[in-house]
Amino acid sequence: MMSLTAPPKPLFSHRPYWAARFGVAPFLPMSRAEMDELGWDSCDVILVTGDAYVDHPSFGVAIIGRLLEAQGFRVGVIAQPDWRSADPFKALGPPNLFFGITAGNMDSMVNRYTADRRIRRNDAYSPDDEGGRRPDRAVIVYSQRVREAYRDVPIIIGGIEASLRRVAHYDYWSDKVRRSVLLDSKADLLLYGNAERALVEAAHRIAGGEHPRSLRDLRGTAFLSDGLLDGWQELDSTLLDRPGPVDRHRDPYCEDIPEHCGPGQAVAWRAGTGAQVVRVQRRAVAAHPRESTVIRLPQWDAVTDDPALYAHAARLLHLETNPGNARALVQGHGDRDLWVNPPPIPLTTAELDTLFDLPFARAPHPAYRGARIPAWEMIRFSVNIMRGCFGGCTFCSITEHEGRIIQSRSEDSIVREVDEIRDRVEGFTGIISDLGGPTANMYQLGCKDKAIEARCRRLSCVYPRICSNLNTDHGPLISLYRRIRQRPGVKKVLVASGVRYDLAVLSKEYVKELVTHHVGGYLKIAPEHTESGPLSKMMKPGMDVYERFKALFDHYTREAGKEQYLVPYFIAAHPGTTDQDMLHLAVWLKRNGFRPDQVQGFLPGPMALATTMYHTGKNPLKPIRREGGEVVSNARGLRQRRLHKAFLRYHDPENWPLLRKALQDMGRADLIGNGKRHLVPRYQPEGTGQSGEGRRRGRGVTPARKGQPKASGRPAAGRGRGQAGRTRRR
């Protein structure tokens, strides 16, 4: 029987592969000519990516390539190949071990399409911001072309696209439930999450003669099987979270067992009706050891046809994401089983430090001849200090990919990178543009007790309230800020990553440090909404916490004698949002003097819990009921989605006809008028409001009052999802 419970082998403890004698490449080669210069007759591993190749630790291919190089393997890169032919995939010849395929730093569909399913004209991960340089569903297409080029060479897929599509998943762009990307790509092995451990182990074992299809004991991997593996017992997921009509469906992991109950069930009667109620009990779990139990999710065709089963499967998948207690999952796809092993064990601080200390060139490959790559320009002078996020926002997939356990680098490692930027990166003027990560202020935060952390099944450490077991000490982060500011050659250190303000308000010292030294005129935060309905579906705190943070921000800004502004971000058309909710948000925006300059509607990315709400109308944050229970409202039609976005841009004349009609239909014509208390004026400027679709392309931004900053930041629909949003304040 395979074992997934053995302690992880240290990442850099493997004996280097024999090719380590070739040393370190200035850049991983992208051509045969570069291979010749390095003295290589072949590559051991070839990485295919949908992004331009930038040799920087913020780019997945660079960090994976340099890691494999440190293990002694010769690694080549094929970046953004023309997928219409197999020939570009032959540029470096066949690899000795395997092809590693990724869509890049973003899911290719999120990268190419807007929330309204329109093709984007640009691509921040391509030279000169050029769109159209990667195919739809890049992992599948690249894998098909590799198979055409070299039929028998093994393929391993990974990166965020493979990670978030590892099981049957709802695909917004085709509006259907698709199979696991492992089946559609016909790859041999799928790696998900932060896959360094699995990739290093797989590479050495493949070099030792094993085939990727035989690697079934690696955490953070998915593979296909023909049935239950030897030594394992199977547990039907519906015994853990029954998707049927129930009365007060209790937590199946915390309930006592009446002696008269059969294994795994307690039988009761609904008062006054005689209806039998089945409640799931703890005995069903206790009878199945986690280390040798695989949970069978409803199969692909079942979740395709049944929204309740889809929501049930999504809920179970998210409950099995803690590396300390997650069980393996299996899901039928026709006559094959997709097997998903538990998530990878997070890297230690020492391992993360060594990973970031690898010899990155910290620049785009010379083949781009100085072309501008916007994603590179954005992170050129920034430093990533940690991984992971325990916020659990349902519209964001960071936790599903990187995990909820924060992995932090040491102060010394971060200082070394700052010094390297100062000494090596061309154009450095003394300003570190960002010192952060997925969330700016989660550095070295985590559970106070590792034993509790290993047993925890919460989807968020900060919702509906901050967990009492969470260490919220911002002291280490304050110390880091102060140390970086004192480095020779460093004039300013900015914090551009989003700040989790519900954590920040717990440390006035941190807010003072941040506001006094690390805000470049404006600070972006993400309330996402003002109303409790949508906020409860997002797992975000209420506006009372925002007001507390704003009070601290304003106080310390005045104390520092500066003029600085908060830039709040909001989501349009998120599941659970009604037209009334958007109206109330618009009124709040006007009352507080905010004029969003660009807005982003909710984009249902693969695997996010909010996407499950959008697809099924059910709330996977609670046990699923096939009948009855909470119904999640959704803005699915184009007109309603436009209306929700129009409420955010209430000040744009192009939106006024649409808003006037909506306000009349909602019985709120009192908000139409020419006074300050009105949301929309009665008059219509000549030449505006004819499309009813919001501001036309090419029009200027709405004027703001003189002296107010123009802000920019992450998209309102979630980190890494679409175009940046901007907000002006009057």
Side-chain angles (χ1 to χ4, degrees):
M1 182 187 75
M2 69 183 192
S3 174
L4 299 169
T5 58
K9 189 173 183 178
L11 190 61
F12 293 93
S13 64
H14 295 264
R15 181 179 179 181
Y17 190 58
W18 69 267
R21 67 187 68 176
F22 287 99
V24 175
F27 284 88
L28 303 178
M30 292 177 61
S31 67
R32 291 303 296 260
E34 292 174 80
M35 291 170 58
D36 292 340
E37 290 178 8
L38 295 169
W40 299 3
D41 61 342
S42 60
C43 292
D44 300 309
V45 178
I46 295 177
L47 303 177
V48 182
T49 175
D51 293 340
Y53 168 37
V54 179
D55 197 45
H56 185 280
S58 292
F59 288 75
V61 158
I63 205 163
I64 289 300
R66 289 300 187 183
L67 173 61
L68 289 172
E69 180 186 60
Q71 302 292 326
F73 300 103
R74 294 167 294 178
V75 183
V77 174
I78 299 176
Q80 297 188 315
D82 184 348
W83 66 92
R84 289 170 283 260
S85 166
D87 291 339
F89 296 83
K90 302 177 182 178
L92 305 180
N96 301 319
L97 301 180
F98 60 89
F99 274 99
I101 294 177
T102 174
N105 276 17
M106 292 177 65
D107 181 275
S108 59
M109 301 302 288
V110 176
N111 178 278
R112 292 203 68 211
Y113 295 90
T114 69
D116 292 333
R117 298 188 176 97
R118 294 173 177 168
I119 295 179
R120 302 187 194 276
R121 294 175 293 178
N122 62 327
D123 182 348
Y125 290 91
S126 294
D128 294 324
D129 202 17
E130 181 183 355
R133 296 192 57 154
R134 74 185 78 213
D136 292 356
R137 315 189 196 286
V139 167
I140 297 173
V141 174
Y142 289 161
S143 298
Q144 291 171 342
R145 293 297 175 264
V146 166
R147 282 280 184 250
E148 292 176 24
Y150 302 108
R151 184 176 183 83
D152 298 323
V153 176
I155 296 175
I156 297 178
I157 58 176
I160 195 164
E161 181 167 296
S163 182
L164 299 184
R165 297 175 182 268
R166 60 185 180 263
V167 297
H169 57 280
Y170 173 72
D171 181 78
Y172 172 66
W173 296 270
S174 59
D175 194 24
K176 68 179 183 180
V177 177
R178 294 181 63 92
R179 303 189 303 176
S180 164
V181 70
L182 182 61
L183 283 96
D184 287 341
S185 67
K186 297 181 172 59
D188 299 292
L189 187 67
L190 182 153
L191 307 185
Y192 71 88
N194 291 322
E196 288 91 357
R197 291 195 192 281
L199 183 65
V200 166
E201 181 72 20
H204 283 287
R205 288 171 62 174
I206 294 169
E210 296 185 59
H211 195 280
R213 285 194 296 270
S214 69
L215 303 178
R216 298 186 168 187
D217 57 349
L218 300 179
R219 298 179 69 105
T221 64
F223 57 87
L224 297 176
S225 70
D226 293 323
L228 191 65
L229 304 182
D230 292 341
W232 287 80
Q233 48 188 321
E234 187 176 293
L235 180 61
D236 191 324
S237 65
T238 59
L239 294 178
L240 298 178
D241 199 35
R242 186 177 298 275
V246 297
D247 180 29
R248 291 189 63 212
H249 194 137
R250 301 185 184 184
D251 185 347
Y253 307 104
C254 304
E255 197 169 22
D256 293 328
I257 312 297
E259 289 298 322
H260 66 273
C261 295
Q265 294 184 346
V267 179
W269 295 88
R270 193 188 310 273
T273 66
Q276 181 172 304
V277 177
V278 179
R279 297 195 184 105
V280 181
Q281 306 290 347
R282 189 174 179 177
R283 182 172 294 173
V285 179
H288 296 79
R290 289 182 176 272
E291 64 274 8
S292 60
T293 298
V294 59
I295 298 176
R296 178 166 289 280
L297 300 177
Q299 62 187 18
W300 165 62
D301 55 355
V303 299
T304 297
D305 298 332
D306 190 333
L309 282 182
Y310 183 95
H312 157 79
R315 174 173 163 80
L316 260 294
L317 184 144
H318 284 79
L319 288 173
E320 299 292 337
T321 55
N322 182 348
N325 60 31
R327 289 165 285 196
L329 305 174
V330 66
Q331 184 177 51
H333 283 65
D335 58 355
R336 306 293 304 278
D337 277 344
L338 171 75
W339 192 292
V340 181
N341 281 336
I345 300 297
L347 298 184
T348 64
T349 294
E351 289 173 326
L352 203 57
D353 286 354
T354 305
L355 191 62
F356 276 81
D357 285 343
L358 293 175
F360 299 98
R362 306 190 70 85
H365 191 278
Y368 299 115
R369 304 181 186 277
R372 177 176 173 268
I373 302 174
W376 150 245
E377 296 293 337
M378 183 177 67
I379 55 87
R380 189 176 182 180
F381 307 119
S382 69
V383 180
N384 192 339
I385 65 176
M386 42 77 69
R387 286 179 173 179
C389 179
F390 50 69
C393 301
T394 62
F395 52 80
C396 179
S397 297
I398 287 177
T399 52
E400 283 71 36
H401 182 61
E402 293 192 5
R404 292 176 175 81
I405 298 175
I406 302 302
Q407 304 164 64
S408 299
R409 299 168 63 186
S410 69
E411 266 195 21
D412 289 343
S413 172
I414 296 166
V415 168
R416 284 195 298 271
E417 185 169 356
V418 169
D419 289 348
E420 192 171 15
I421 292 173
R422 177 196 62 199
D423 299 338
R424 293 182 54 200
V425 179
E426 183 179 351
F428 181 64
T429 61
I431 300 175
I432 297 297
S433 60
D434 187 24
L435 201 66
T439 302
N441 58 322
M442 288 188 181
Y443 180 71
Q444 291 195 19
L445 302 189
C447 197
K448 299 174 183 177
D449 188 322
K450 292 299 180 183
I452 293 176
E453 180 181 75
R455 295 194 300 269
C456 183
R457 300 177 66 80
R458 287 184 61 163
L459 297 177
S460 171
C461 299
V462 293
Y463 184 85
R465 62 190 63 85
I466 294 175
C467 179
S468 60
N469 292 314
L470 181 66
N471 166 33
T472 60
D473 180 14
H474 284 63
L477 187 55
I478 295 171
S479 172
L480 176 65
Y481 286 173
R482 292 172 177 172
R483 185 174 174 188
I484 299 299
R485 289 203 310 268
Q486 295 169 1
R487 298 304 297 167
V490 175
K491 301 176 183 177
K492 182 81 173 177
V493 179
L494 299 175
V495 174
S497 302
V499 170
R500 186 83 192 198
Y501 57 87
D502 51 349
L503 289 171
V505 295
L506 301 179
S507 173
K508 293 182 179 179
E509 184 184 7
Y510 171 74
V511 178
K512 181 177 181 179
E513 190 79 15
L514 177 72
V515 171
T516 305
H517 299 287
H518 302 285
V519 176
Y522 59 88
L523 178 70
K524 57 184 180 181
I525 57 174
E528 311 295 6
H529 217 285
T530 58
E531 305 307 299
S532 60
L535 287 173
S536 69
K537 305 304 180 296
M538 300 173 183
M539 291 209 296
K540 294 286 288 187
M543 291 301 289
D544 58 324
V545 185
Y546 166 82
E547 296 296 343
R548 287 166 55 197
F549 180 79
K550 182 180 182 300
L552 290 173
F553 180 90
D554 292 343
H555 171 74
Y556 291 120
T557 292
R558 290 191 299 270
E559 190 175 276
K562 296 185 174 184
E563 184 178 359
Q564 299 179 149
Y565 303 90
L566 280 181
V567 180
Y569 287 86
F570 299 96
I571 296 178
H574 189 279
T577 306
T578 64
D579 296 351
Q580 289 285 349
D581 291 329
M582 292 306 300
L583 169 59
H584 294 158
L585 173 54
V587 170
W588 184 92
L589 287 170
K590 181 165 186 180
R591 185 172 64 246
N592 287 274
F594 287 106
R595 289 184 170 187
D597 190 31
Q598 291 181 1
V599 299
Q600 179 76 28
F602 167 68
L603 197 162
M607 196 175 281
L609 282 170
T611 300
T612 297
M613 299 179 196
Y614 176 86
H615 171 55
T616 66
K618 297 182 179 297
N619 185 0
L621 301 178
K622 302 177 181 179
I624 301 301
R625 297 181 178 185
R626 186 181 302 280
E627 300 173 0
E630 182 181 11
V631 176
V632 179
S633 60
N634 279 289
R636 297 186 64 91
L638 185 59
R639 184 187 180 281
Q640 191 179 17
R641 290 176 66 86
R642 287 173 176 167
L643 174 62
H644 283 204
K645 293 174 71 173
F647 272 121
L648 285 181
R649 286 188 48 77
Y650 66 90
H651 52 87
D652 188 341
E654 293 289 352
N655 292 325
W656 291 349
L658 181 63
L659 290 175
R660 286 193 201 99
K661 184 177 187 310
L663 291 173
Q664 290 168 351
D665 292 343
M666 296 166 69
R668 293 305 310 270
D670 59 298
L671 291 175
I672 304 173
N674 301 328
K676 289 185 177 181
R677 67 182 181 85
H678 297 112
L679 186 66
V680 180
R682 295 187 185 280
Y683 69 89
Q684 187 69 38
E686 184 178 354
T688 65
Q690 297 176 12
S691 67
E693 299 177 4
R695 189 178 56 188
R696 295 182 184 128
R697 295 183 182 275
R699 293 184 60 86
V701 299
T702 302
R705 289 185 179 177
K706 184 177 180 181
Q708 300 300 325
K710 181 171 68 175
S712 62
R714 73 160 176 83
R719 300 171 182 86
R721 295 184 182 180
Q723 302 302 308
R726 297 184 295 173
T727 304
R728 288 180 184 267
R729 185 170 183 176
R730 295 185 296 176

